[in-house]
């Protein structure tokens, strides 16, 4: 049974602060209980301010990074130093500022042919229970690299798969819904007025996962951290 929790923040800065606090809280809890914190980062731009906060001394000193294992929910099939690499984005904003053993960073090898990258990554994540999976949501309702109409939306067997994204003319490697839904906590970060209409549809509209892939995410606990702009159409009170 998936539990859903929606939290509205004043603005994008408050979203980053709240997300960073949750990241630390969930991480400390996982390390206290199991000795490690397995977390999958998301791509896109929304999490970058949160990564930048976590990189600050007053934040990064609150987690035992040697016990943290970093993964990704998806990756573009580009080299790790490409500007569009989700790994590269997190490395520049956060990872290179942490005392994190290289062996704890489990990137998707976007430089490989997509099928090979997926085959490598499925061996990396096999047997891992994610304590936290960060996800974003596109203004078309996609999440990770699960786009509307994708052949992966109803994938039941594979945990990782390559996918060609027609409208972006690019290959990606992504966790599939079963892999994401096996996670303990999923935390969506959604910001900006451009997401408001779709966010309403995903959370309160008809059940239409083919068109709104974010509806497929039903992990143990799903936290929606959304700023006031993105929450503009939701039938719930925004913070004062
Ligand atoms: C990616 C992400 C993707 C992203 C959404 C939202 O690789 O781009 O996995 O799912 O989270 O597109 O992106 P923004 O945060 O930039 O709006």
């Amino acid at each position: 049974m998936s539990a859903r929790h929606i939290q509205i923040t004043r603005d994008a800065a408050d979203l980053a602060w709240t997300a960073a606090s949750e990241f630390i809280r969930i991480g400390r809890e996982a390390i206290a209980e199991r000795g490690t914190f397995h977390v999958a980062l998301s791509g896109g731009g929304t999490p970058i301010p949160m990564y930048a906060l976590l990189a600050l001394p007053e934040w990064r000193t609150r987690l035992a990074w040697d016990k943290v294992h970093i993964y990704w929910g998806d990756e573009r099939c580009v080299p790790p130093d490409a500007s569009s690499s989700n790994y590269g984005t997190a490395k520049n904003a956060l990872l290179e500022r942490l005392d994190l053993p290289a062996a704890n960073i489990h990137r998707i090898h976007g430089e490989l042919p997509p099928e090979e990258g997926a085959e490598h990554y499925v061996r990396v994540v096999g047997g891992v229970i994610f304590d936290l999976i960060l996800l974003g949501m596109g203004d078309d309702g996609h999440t990770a690299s699960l786009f509307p109409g994708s052949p992966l939306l109803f994938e039941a067997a594979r945990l990782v798969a390559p996918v060609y994204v027609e409208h972006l003319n690019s290959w990606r490697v992504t966790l599939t819904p079963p892999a994401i839904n096996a996670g303990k906590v999923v935390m969506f970060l959604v910001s900006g007025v451009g997401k408001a209409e779709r966010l309403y549809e995903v959370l309160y509209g008809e059940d239409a996962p083919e068109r709104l892939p974010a509806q497929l995410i039903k992990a143990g606990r799903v936290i929606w951290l959304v700023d006031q702009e993105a929450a503009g159409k939701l039938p719930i009170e925004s913070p004062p």
Side-chain angles (χ1 to χ4, degrees), residues 4 137-142 148 194-209 211-216 224 230-235:
R4 182 172 96 178
M137 188 195 78
D139 57 11
D140 61 354
H142 84 263
K195 306 280 178 80
E197 186 64 41
R198 199 70 63 225
L199 185 64
Y200 172 80
E201 286 189 274
V202 166
L203 294 178
Y204 292 92
E206 60 164 2
D207 191 34
R211 186 171 63 82
L212 301 165
Q215 288 185 336
L216 291 166
W224 287 85
K233 306 268 187 193
L234 301 187

Side-chain angles (χ1 to χ4, degrees), residues 3-222:
R4 182 172 96 178
H5 172 72
I6 301 169
Q7 183 170 345
I8 302 174
T9 69
R10 276 186 306 279
D11 52 27
D14 192 24
L15 176 66
W17 192 95
T18 306
S21 302
E22 271 301 281
F23 184 102
I24 296 286
R25 183 188 67 77
I26 294 168
R28 288 168 68 94
E29 189 177 279
I31 290 168
E33 288 177 9
R34 291 177 292 281
T36 52
F37 175 36
H38 295 280
V39 53
L41 303 182
S42 102
T46 304
I48 295 173
M50 177 197 107
Y51 296 158
L53 268 186
L54 289 172
L56 295 175
E58 58 269 34
W59 283 85
R60 66 173 185 252
T61 50
R62 293 165 56 187
L63 201 56
W65 291 98
D66 61 321
K67 295 183 173 60
V68 180
H69 285 262
I70 303 273
Y71 308 79
W72 277 261
D74 73 323
E75 184 58 277
R76 293 83 179 277
C77 292
V78 295
D81 58 355
S83 59
S84 58
S85 164
N86 289 337
Y87 159 77
T89 300
K91 173 176 173 281
N92 295 336
L94 173 60
L95 303 183
E96 62 189 9
R97 292 169 174 74
L98 300 176
D99 191 14
L100 186 66
N104 290 26
I105 298 175
H106 310 281
R107 69 180 182 89
I108 299 170
H109 288 205
E111 68 277 20
L112 293 176
E115 191 60 58
E116 277 182 50
E119 284 164 10
H120 164 265
Y121 197 56
V122 76
R123 293 194 296 273
V124 171
V125 299
V128 172
I129 302 285
F130 292 109
D131 299 296
L132 174 62
I133 300 173
L134 294 175
L135 290 176
M137 188 195 78
D139 57 11
D140 61 354
H142 84 263
T143 191
S145 287
L146 303 168
F147 287 86
S150 168
L152 294 181
L153 297 187
F154 303 104
E155 171 63 47
R158 289 182 297 178
L159 297 178
V160 179
V163 58
Y164 181 69
V165 185
E166 195 85 35
H167 70 285
L168 297 176
N169 187 25
S170 66
W171 279 93
R172 305 252 186 118
V173 171
T174 186
L175 292 180
T176 59
I180 296 171
N181 289 335
K184 290 179 182 297
V185 179
V186 166
M187 186 157 72
F188 278 95
L189 306 187
V190 186
S191 172
V193 67
K195 306 280 178 80
E197 186 64 41
R198 199 70 63 225
L199 185 64
Y200 172 80
E201 286 189 274
V202 166
L203 294 178
Y204 292 92
E206 60 164 2
D207 191 34
E210 179 83 14
R211 186 171 63 82
L212 301 165
Q215 288 185 336
L216 291 166
I217 306 309
K218 301 190 187 304
R221 177 166 159 71
V222 180

